[in-house]
Amino acid sequence: MKLLFINGVNLNMTGIRERGVYGTQSLDQINAEIKAHFKGDECEFFQSNIEGEICTKIQTADCDGIILNAGAFTHYSYAIRDAISSVKIPVIEVHMSNVHAREEFRHQSVISAVCKGVIAGFGKNSYILAGESFKL
Ligand code: DQA
């Protein structure tokens, strides 16, 4: 199975920013653990702080499932929402933190409705749970 893990804006700062919320590991370290977990599968990792690059990555994806942590783009990016709607590949929305237990603006997602499902609040394991769901 081919899985594409996309991380959006500020996720490159994981391990540096708000460590109490997002943990102390870097995104590269988390991705290495994900890769080890899915050792029988093909995993691709992509991160960008640029909204349009994430849209292009979704539009050109060649995989069985996309695991997307869009970061703050989740809460307002109609462009990413439309990119998800443009492709047949299922997308799962992921958050490391429980966005519903945080500030009000994080309770809204403009992408949830066009995603296959949403997983939030399990730290780095949110990515693994989302990837595993494609195998059910
Ligand atoms: C996040 C939650 C978002 O609200 C926030 O803007 C992020 C990370 C998470 O993984 O918990 O950058 O998507």
Side-chain angles (χ1 to χ4, degrees), residues 10-110:
N10 294 316
L11 272 303
N12 58 310
M13 295 296 284
T14 305
I16 299 166
R17 70 162 177 161
E18 297 181 82
R19 292 171 136 214
V21 178
Y22 303 116
T24 55
Q25 287 181 295
S26 68
L27 189 59
D28 282 348
Q29 287 171 327
I30 291 171
N31 287 346
E33 284 190 19
I34 293 168
K35 199 178 156 84
H37 179 92
F38 291 103
K39 49 182 175 299
D41 301 292
E42 206 177 300
C43 293
E44 183 185 348
F45 299 95
F46 178 80
Q47 190 277 328
S48 178
N49 290 327
I50 301 169
E51 190 181 17
E53 285 186 358
I54 292 169
C55 295
T56 302
K57 191 68 191 174
I58 293 168
Q59 289 168 11
T60 57
D62 172 23
C63 61
D64 301 301
I66 297 175
I67 295 96
L68 171 64
N69 185 351
F73 289 146
T74 304
H75 311 302
Y76 63 88
S77 176
Y78 299 118
I80 291 176
R81 178 194 169 109
D82 285 349
I84 295 167
S85 297
S86 306
V87 299
K88 290 204 171 71
I89 302 167
V91 178
I92 298 185
E93 174 185 342
V94 157
H95 301 285
M96 286 194 274
S97 65
N98 178 356
V99 283
H100 300 288
R102 300 181 66 195
E103 302 94 322
E104 190 91 30
F105 75 90
R106 295 185 206 277
H107 301 180
Q108 159 156 323
S109 165
V110 300

